[in-house]
Coordinates of all heavy atoms in Angstrom, one line a residue:
M686 N -7.2 14.7 -13.7 CA -7.2 14.9 -12.3 C -6.0 15.8 -11.9 O -5.0 15.6 -12.4 CB -7.2 13.5 -11.5 CG -6.0 12.7 -11.8 SD -6.3 11.0 -11.3 CE -6.6 10.2 -12.7
K687 N -6.2 16.6 -10.9 CA -5.1 17.5 -10.6 C -4.4 17.0 -9.3 O -5.0 16.4 -8.4 CB -5.6 19.0 -10.2 CG -6.3 19.6 -11.3 CD -7.0 20.9 -10.9 CE -7.7 21.5 -12.0 NZ -8.5 22.7 -11.7
R688 N -3.1 17.1 -9.3 CA -2.3 16.7 -8.1 C -1.3 17.8 -7.8 O -0.7 18.5 -8.5 CB -1.5 15.5 -8.5 CG -2.3 14.3 -8.8 CD -2.9 13.7 -7.6 NE -3.6 12.4 -7.8 CZ -5.0 12.3 -8.0 NH1 -5.7 13.5 -7.8 NH2 -5.6 11.1 -8.2
L689 N -1.0 17.9 -6.5 CA 0.0 18.8 -5.9 C 1.4 18.1 -6.0 O 1.4 16.9 -5.5 CB -0.3 19.2 -4.4 CG 0.8 20.0 -3.8 CD1 0.8 21.3 -4.4 CD2 0.4 20.2 -2.3
V690 N 2.3 18.7 -6.7 CA 3.7 18.1 -6.8 C 4.4 18.4 -5.5 O 4.7 19.5 -5.2 CB 4.4 18.6 -8.1 CG1 5.8 18.0 -8.1 CG2 3.5 18.3 -9.4
T691 N 4.9 17.4 -4.8 CA 5.4 17.6 -3.4 C 6.9 17.4 -3.5 O 7.6 17.4 -2.4 CB 4.8 16.7 -2.4 OG1 4.9 15.3 -2.8 CG2 3.4 17.0 -2.2
G692 N 7.5 16.9 -4.6 CA 9.0 16.7 -4.6 C 9.5 16.2 -6.0 O 8.6 16.0 -6.9
V693 N 10.8 16.0 -6.1 CA 11.4 15.5 -7.3 C 12.5 14.5 -6.8 O 13.2 14.8 -5.9 CB 12.1 16.6 -8.2 CG1 12.8 16.1 -9.3 CG2 11.1 17.7 -8.5
I694 N 12.5 13.3 -7.5 CA 13.5 12.4 -7.2 C 14.4 12.2 -8.4 O 13.9 11.7 -9.4 CB 12.9 11.1 -6.7 CG1 11.9 11.2 -5.6 CG2 14.0 10.0 -6.4 CD1 11.1 9.9 -5.4
A695 N 15.7 12.6 -8.3 CA 16.6 12.4 -9.4 C 17.0 11.0 -9.5 O 16.9 10.1 -8.5 CB 17.9 13.3 -9.3
A696 N 17.5 10.5 -10.7 CA 18.0 9.1 -11.0 C 19.1 8.9 -9.9 O 20.1 9.7 -9.7 CB 18.5 9.0 -12.4
G697 N 19.1 7.8 -9.3 CA 20.1 7.6 -8.2 C 19.9 8.0 -6.9 O 20.6 7.7 -5.9
A698 N 18.9 8.9 -6.6 CA 18.7 9.6 -5.4 C 17.7 8.7 -4.7 O 16.9 8.0 -5.3 CB 18.2 10.9 -5.6
M699 N 17.7 8.7 -3.3 CA 16.8 8.0 -2.6 C 15.5 8.9 -2.3 O 15.7 10.1 -2.0 CB 17.4 7.5 -1.2 CG 18.4 6.4 -1.4 SD 17.9 5.1 -2.4 CE 16.7 4.3 -1.3
P700 N 14.3 8.3 -2.4 CA 13.2 9.1 -2.1 C 13.1 9.6 -0.7 O 13.4 8.8 0.2 CB 12.0 8.1 -2.4 CG 12.5 6.9 -2.8 CD 14.0 6.9 -2.7
E701 N 12.7 10.7 -0.4 CA 12.6 11.3 1.0 C 11.1 11.5 1.4 O 10.8 11.5 2.4 CB 13.3 12.7 1.1 CG 14.8 12.5 0.9 CD 15.6 13.7 1.0 OE1 15.0 14.8 1.5 OE2 16.8 13.7 0.7
G702 N 10.3 11.8 0.4 CA 8.9 12.0 0.7 C 7.9 10.8 0.4 O 8.5 9.8 0.1
E703 N 6.7 10.9 0.7 CA 5.8 10.0 0.4 C 4.7 10.4 -0.4 O 4.3 11.7 -0.3 CB 5.2 9.4 1.8 CG 4.2 8.4 1.7 CD 3.7 7.8 3.0 OE1 4.3 8.1 4.1 OE2 2.7 7.2 3.1
V704 N 4.1 9.7 -1.4 CA 3.0 10.0 -2.1 C 1.8 9.8 -1.3 O 1.5 8.7 -0.9 CB 3.0 9.2 -3.5 CG1 1.8 9.6 -4.3 CG2 4.2 9.5 -4.2
T705 N 0.9 10.8 -1.1 CA -0.3 10.6 -0.5 C -1.5 11.1 -1.4 O -1.3 11.6 -2.5 CB -0.4 11.6 0.8 OG1 -0.2 12.9 0.5 CG2 0.7 11.1 1.9
S706 N -2.7 10.9 -1.0 CA -3.9 11.1 -1.8 C -3.8 12.6 -2.2 O -3.6 13.5 -1.4 CB -5.2 10.9 -0.9 OG -6.3 11.2 -1.7
G707 N -4.0 12.8 -3.6 CA -4.0 14.2 -4.1 C -2.6 14.7 -4.4 O -2.5 15.9 -4.9
T708 N -1.6 13.9 -4.3 CA -0.1 14.4 -4.5 C 0.5 13.6 -5.5 O 0.1 12.5 -5.9 CB 0.7 14.4 -3.2 OG1 0.9 13.1 -2.8 CG2 0.0 15.2 -2.0
A709 N 1.6 14.2 -6.1 CA 2.5 13.4 -7.0 C 3.9 13.9 -6.7 O 4.1 14.9 -6.2 CB 2.1 13.9 -8.5
I710 N 4.8 13.0 -7.0 CA 6.3 13.2 -7.0 C 6.9 13.0 -8.4 O 6.6 12.0 -9.0 CB 6.9 12.4 -5.9 CG1 6.3 12.8 -4.6 CG2 8.5 12.6 -6.0 CD1 7.1 11.9 -3.4
K711 N 7.6 13.9 -8.9 CA 8.2 13.8 -10.2 C 9.4 12.9 -9.9 O 10.2 13.0 -9.0 CB 8.8 15.1 -10.7 CG 7.8 16.0 -11.1 CD 8.4 17.4 -11.7 CE 7.3 18.4 -12.2 NZ 7.9 19.6 -12.8
I712 N 9.5 11.8 -10.8 CA 10.5 10.8 -10.5 C 11.2 10.5 -11.9 O 10.6 10.4 -12.9 CB 9.9 9.5 -10.1 CG1 11.0 8.5 -9.8 CG2 8.8 8.9 -10.8 CD1 10.5 7.3 -8.9
M713 N 12.6 10.5 -11.9 CA 13.4 10.4 -13.0 C 13.6 8.9 -13.3 O 13.5 8.1 -12.4 CB 14.7 11.1 -13.0 CG 14.6 12.5 -12.6 SD 13.5 13.5 -13.7 CE 13.1 14.8 -12.7
T714 N 13.7 8.5 -14.5 CA 14.0 7.2 -15.0 C 15.1 6.5 -14.2 O 16.2 7.1 -14.0 CB 14.3 7.0 -16.5 OG1 13.3 7.6 -17.2 CG2 14.6 5.5 -16.9
G715 N 14.8 5.4 -13.6 CA 15.8 4.7 -12.7 C 15.9 5.0 -11.3 O 16.5 4.4 -10.4
A716 N 15.1 6.0 -10.8 CA 15.1 6.3 -9.5 C 14.1 5.3 -8.7 O 13.1 4.8 -9.2 CB 14.6 7.8 -9.2
P717 N 14.4 5.2 -7.4 CA 13.5 4.2 -6.6 C 12.1 4.9 -6.4 O 12.1 6.2 -6.4 CB 14.2 4.1 -5.4 CG 15.6 4.6 -5.5 CD 15.6 5.5 -6.7
M718 N 11.1 4.0 -6.4 CA 9.8 4.5 -6.1 C 9.6 5.1 -4.6 O 10.1 4.3 -3.8 CB 8.8 3.5 -6.4 CG 8.7 3.1 -7.8 SD 8.1 4.3 -9.0 CE 6.3 4.3 -8.5
P719 N 9.0 6.2 -4.4 CA 8.8 6.6 -3.1 C 7.6 5.7 -2.5 O 6.8 5.3 -3.1 CB 8.3 8.1 -3.3 CG 7.7 8.0 -4.6 CD 8.5 7.1 -5.4
A720 N 7.6 5.8 -1.2 CA 6.5 5.1 -0.5 C 5.2 5.8 -0.9 O 5.0 6.9 -1.1 CB 6.7 5.4 1.0
G721 N 4.1 4.8 -1.0 CA 2.8 5.3 -1.3 C 2.6 5.4 -2.8 O 1.4 5.5 -3.3
A722 N 3.6 5.3 -3.7 CA 3.4 5.3 -5.2 C 2.9 4.0 -5.6 O 3.4 3.0 -5.2 CB 4.7 5.8 -5.7
D723 N 2.0 4.0 -6.6 CA 1.5 2.8 -7.1 C 1.4 2.8 -8.6 O 1.0 1.8 -9.3 CB 0.1 2.4 -6.6 CG -0.9 3.3 -6.8 OD1 -0.8 4.4 -7.6 OD2 -2.1 3.2 -6.3
T724 N 1.7 4.0 -9.2 CA 1.6 4.2 -10.7 C 2.6 5.2 -11.2 O 2.9 6.1 -10.4 CB 0.2 4.5 -11.1 OG1 -0.7 3.6 -10.5 CG2 0.0 4.7 -12.6
V725 N 3.2 5.0 -12.4 CA 3.9 6.0 -13.0 C 3.2 6.6 -14.2 O 2.7 5.8 -15.0 CB 5.3 5.4 -13.4 CG1 6.1 6.5 -14.2 CG2 6.1 5.0 -12.3
V726 N 3.0 7.9 -14.2 CA 2.3 8.5 -15.4 C 3.5 9.2 -16.2 O 4.2 10.0 -15.6 CB 1.3 9.5 -14.9 CG1 0.6 10.3 -16.1 CG2 0.2 8.8 -14.1
K727 N 3.5 9.0 -17.5 CA 4.6 9.7 -18.3 C 4.3 11.2 -18.3 O 3.2 11.7 -18.3 CB 4.5 9.2 -19.7 CG 4.8 7.7 -20.0 CD 4.8 7.4 -21.5 CE 3.3 7.5 -21.9 NZ 3.2 7.0 -23.3
V728 N 5.5 11.9 -18.3 CA 5.4 13.4 -18.2 C 4.7 13.9 -19.5 O 4.0 14.9 -19.4 CB 6.8 14.0 -18.1 CG1 7.7 13.8 -19.4 CG2 6.6 15.5 -17.7
E729 N 4.7 13.1 -20.5 CA 3.9 13.6 -21.7 C 2.4 13.5 -21.6 O 1.7 14.2 -22.4 CB 4.3 12.7 -23.0 CG 5.8 12.7 -23.4 CD 6.7 11.8 -22.6 OE1 6.3 11.1 -21.7 OE2 7.9 11.7 -22.9
D730 N 2.0 12.8 -20.6 CA 0.6 12.7 -20.2 C 0.1 13.6 -19.2 O -0.9 13.4 -18.6 CB 0.3 11.2 -19.9 CG 0.4 10.3 -21.1 OD1 0.3 10.7 -22.2 OD2 0.6 9.1 -20.9
T731 N 1.0 14.6 -18.8 CA 0.7 15.6 -17.8 C 0.8 17.1 -18.3 O 1.4 17.1 -19.3 CB 1.5 15.3 -16.6 OG1 2.9 15.6 -16.9 CG2 1.5 14.0 -16.0
Q732 N 0.3 18.0 -17.6 CA 0.4 19.3 -17.9 C 0.7 20.2 -16.7 O -0.1 20.1 -15.7 CB -0.8 19.8 -18.7 CG -0.9 21.1 -19.2 CD -2.1 21.4 -19.9 OE1 -3.3 21.4 -19.3 NE2 -2.1 21.7 -21.2
D733 N 1.6 20.9 -16.7 CA 2.0 21.8 -15.5 C 0.9 22.9 -15.5 O 0.7 23.7 -16.5 CB 3.4 22.5 -15.7 CG 3.7 23.3 -14.4 OD1 2.8 23.6 -13.6 OD2 5.0 23.5 -14.3
I734 N 0.1 23.0 -14.4 CA -0.9 24.0 -14.4 C -0.6 25.3 -13.5 O -1.4 26.1 -13.0 CB -2.3 23.4 -14.1 CG1 -2.3 22.6 -12.8 CG2 -2.7 22.6 -15.3 CD1 -3.7 22.1 -12.4
G735 N 0.7 25.2 -13.0 CA 1.2 26.3 -12.1 C 0.8 26.1 -10.7 O 0.0 25.1 -10.3
G736 N 1.3 26.8 -9.8 CA 1.1 26.8 -8.3 C 1.6 25.4 -7.8 O 1.1 25.0 -6.8
G737 N 2.6 24.8 -8.4 CA 3.1 23.4 -7.9 C 2.1 22.4 -8.1 O 2.2 21.4 -7.5
R738 N 1.2 22.5 -9.1 CA 0.2 21.5 -9.4 C 0.5 20.9 -10.8 O 0.9 21.6 -11.8 CB -1.2 22.0 -9.3 CG -1.5 22.4 -7.8 CD -3.0 22.7 -7.6 NE -3.2 23.0 -6.2 CZ -3.5 22.0 -5.4 NH1 -3.4 20.8 -5.6 NH2 -3.8 22.4 -4.2
V739 N -0.1 19.7 -11.0 CA 0.0 19.1 -12.3 C -1.3 18.5 -12.6 O -2.0 18.0 -11.7 CB 1.2 17.9 -12.4 CG1 0.9 16.8 -11.5 CG2 1.5 17.4 -13.7
L740 N -1.7 18.5 -13.8 CA -2.9 17.9 -14.4 C -2.5 16.6 -15.1 O -1.7 16.7 -16.0 CB -3.7 18.9 -15.3 CG -4.9 18.3 -16.0 CD1 -6.0 18.1 -15.0 CD2 -5.3 19.3 -17.0
I741 N -3.1 15.5 -14.7 CA -2.9 14.3 -15.4 C -4.0 14.2 -16.4 O -5.1 14.0 -16.2 CB -2.9 13.1 -14.4 CG1 -1.9 13.2 -13.3 CG2 -2.8 11.8 -15.2 CD1 -2.0 12.2 -12.2
V742 N -3.5 14.4 -17.7 CA -4.3 14.6 -18.9 C -4.8 13.2 -19.3 O -5.9 12.9 -19.6 CB -3.7 15.2 -20.1 CG1 -4.5 15.4 -21.3 CG2 -3.2 16.7 -19.6
D743 N -3.9 12.2 -19.4 CA -4.2 10.9 -19.9 C -3.8 9.9 -18.7 O -2.6 9.6 -18.6 CB -3.5 10.5 -21.1 CG -4.0 9.2 -21.7 OD1 -5.0 8.7 -21.4 OD2 -3.4 8.8 -22.7
G744 N -4.8 9.5 -17.9 CA -4.3 8.7 -16.7 C -3.9 7.3 -17.1 O -3.9 6.9 -18.3
A745 N -3.4 6.6 -16.2 CA -2.8 5.2 -16.4 C -3.3 4.3 -15.4 O -3.6 4.7 -14.3 CB -1.3 5.3 -16.3
P746 N -3.6 3.0 -15.7 CA -4.1 2.1 -14.8 C -3.1 1.9 -13.5 O -1.9 2.0 -13.8 CB -4.3 0.7 -15.5 CG -4.3 1.2 -17.0 CD -3.5 2.5 -17.1
R747 N -3.7 1.6 -12.4 CA -2.8 1.4 -11.2 C -1.8 0.3 -11.6 O -2.2 -0.8 -12.2 CB -3.6 1.0 -10.0 CG -2.9 0.7 -8.9 CD -3.6 0.4 -7.6 NE -4.1 1.8 -7.3 CZ -5.2 2.0 -6.5 NH1 -5.8 0.9 -5.9 NH2 -5.6 3.2 -6.1
G748 N -0.5 0.5 -11.3 CA 0.5 -0.5 -11.4 C 1.2 -0.2 -12.7 O 2.2 -0.9 -13.0
T749 N 0.9 0.8 -13.5 CA 1.6 1.1 -14.7 C 3.0 1.5 -14.5 O 3.3 2.3 -13.7 CB 0.9 2.2 -15.5 OG1 -0.5 1.7 -16.0 CG2 1.6 2.6 -16.8
A750 N 3.9 0.9 -15.2 CA 5.3 1.1 -15.2 C 6.0 0.9 -13.8 O 7.1 1.4 -13.6 CB 5.6 2.6 -15.7
I751 N 5.5 0.0 -13.1 CA 6.0 -0.4 -11.8 C 6.8 -1.8 -12.0 O 6.2 -2.7 -12.5 CB 4.9 -0.6 -10.7 CG1 4.3 0.8 -10.6 CG2 5.6 -1.0 -9.4 CD1 5.0 2.0 -10.1
R752 N 8.0 -1.9 -11.6 CA 8.7 -3.2 -11.6 C 9.2 -3.4 -10.2 O 9.9 -2.5 -9.6 CB 9.9 -3.1 -12.7 CG 9.3 -2.9 -14.1 CD 10.4 -2.9 -15.1 NE 11.4 -3.9 -14.9 CZ 12.5 -4.0 -15.7 NH1 12.8 -3.1 -16.4 NH2 13.4 -5.1 -15.5
A753 N 9.0 -4.5 -9.7 CA 9.6 -5.0 -8.4 C 11.1 -5.2 -8.6 O 11.6 -5.6 -9.5 CB 8.9 -6.3 -7.9
A754 N 11.8 -4.9 -7.4 CA 13.1 -5.1 -7.4 C 13.5 -6.6 -7.7 O 12.9 -7.5 -7.2 CB 13.8 -4.8 -6.0
G755 N 14.5 -6.8 -8.6 CA 14.9 -8.1 -9.0 C 14.0 -8.7 -10.1 O 14.3 -9.8 -10.5
S756 N 13.0 -7.9 -10.5 CA 12.1 -8.6 -11.5 C 12.7 -8.8 -12.9 O 12.1 -9.4 -13.9 CB 10.7 -7.8 -11.6 OG 11.1 -6.5 -12.1
D757 N 13.9 -8.2 -13.1 CA 14.5 -8.2 -14.5 C 15.4 -9.5 -14.6 O 16.1 -9.6 -15.6 CB 15.3 -6.9 -14.6 CG 16.5 -6.6 -13.6 OD1 16.1 -7.1 -12.4 OD2 17.5 -6.1 -13.8
V758 N 15.5 -10.3 -13.6 CA 16.3 -11.5 -13.7 C 15.3 -12.7 -13.2 O 14.6 -12.6 -12.3 CB 17.6 -11.5 -12.9 CG1 18.5 -10.5 -13.5 CG2 17.3 -11.2 -11.4
S759 N 15.6 -13.9 -13.7 CA 14.9 -15.1 -13.3 C 15.5 -15.7 -12.1 O 16.7 -15.6 -11.9 CB 14.9 -16.1 -14.5 OG 14.4 -15.5 -15.6
D760 N 14.7 -16.4 -11.4 CA 15.2 -17.1 -10.2 C 16.3 -18.1 -10.6 O 16.2 -18.8 -11.7 CB 14.1 -17.9 -9.5 CG 13.0 -17.1 -8.8 OD1 13.4 -16.0 -8.5 OD2 12.0 -17.7 -8.4
G761 N 17.4 -18.1 -9.8 CA 18.4 -19.0 -10.1 C 19.5 -18.4 -11.0 O 20.6 -19.0 -11.3
T762 N 19.3 -17.1 -11.6 CA 20.3 -16.6 -12.4 C 21.5 -15.9 -11.8 O 21.1 -15.3 -10.7 CB 19.6 -15.4 -13.3 OG1 18.5 -16.0 -14.0 CG2 20.6 -14.7 -14.3
V763 N 22.6 -16.3 -12.1 CA 23.8 -15.7 -11.4 C 24.0 -14.3 -11.9 O 24.1 -14.1 -13.1 CB 25.1 -16.6 -11.7 CG1 26.3 -15.9 -11.1 CG2 24.9 -18.0 -11.2
V764 N 24.0 -13.3 -11.1 CA 24.1 -11.9 -11.5 C 25.6 -11.3 -11.2 O 26.0 -10.4 -11.6 CB 23.1 -11.0 -10.9 CG1 21.7 -11.4 -11.6 CG2 23.0 -11.0 -9.4
M765 N 26.2 -12.0 -10.2 CA 27.5 -11.6 -9.8 C 28.4 -12.9 -9.4 O 27.9 -13.8 -8.8 CB 27.6 -10.7 -8.6 CG 27.1 -9.3 -8.9 SD 27.1 -8.1 -7.5 CE 28.9 -8.0 -7.2
R766 N 29.7 -12.9 -9.7 CA 30.5 -14.1 -9.3 C 31.5 -13.5 -8.4 O 31.9 -12.4 -8.4 CB 31.1 -14.6 -10.6 CG 30.1 -15.3 -11.5 CD 30.9 -16.3 -12.3 NE 30.0 -16.7 -13.4 CZ 29.3 -18.0 -13.2 NH1 29.3 -18.5 -12.0 NH2 28.5 -18.2 -14.1

C-alpha cells in the first residue's frame, strides 16, 4: 500500500501533524506517537517510491509496536523518590 509521507518526528520532538487515511509520518525510536497513528511499520518493511510517497512492502497488524504511556512499569512500582 502506498502512503504520502506528511512529516518526520525526531526522537524527543513533539508531534505536530496528524496521521490521516492514506498518509504516514516517519517517526524515530522514542518519539511520541502522533494523533491518528495506530501502527508502526519498520523502515526495513518500506520502500521510498519518490514524490514524498512510501510503499509499505510488508504490512503490520494494527497496534504493532505501540506501547501505552507507563506500560513499562507495573502498578505500584516506585519510579521516583
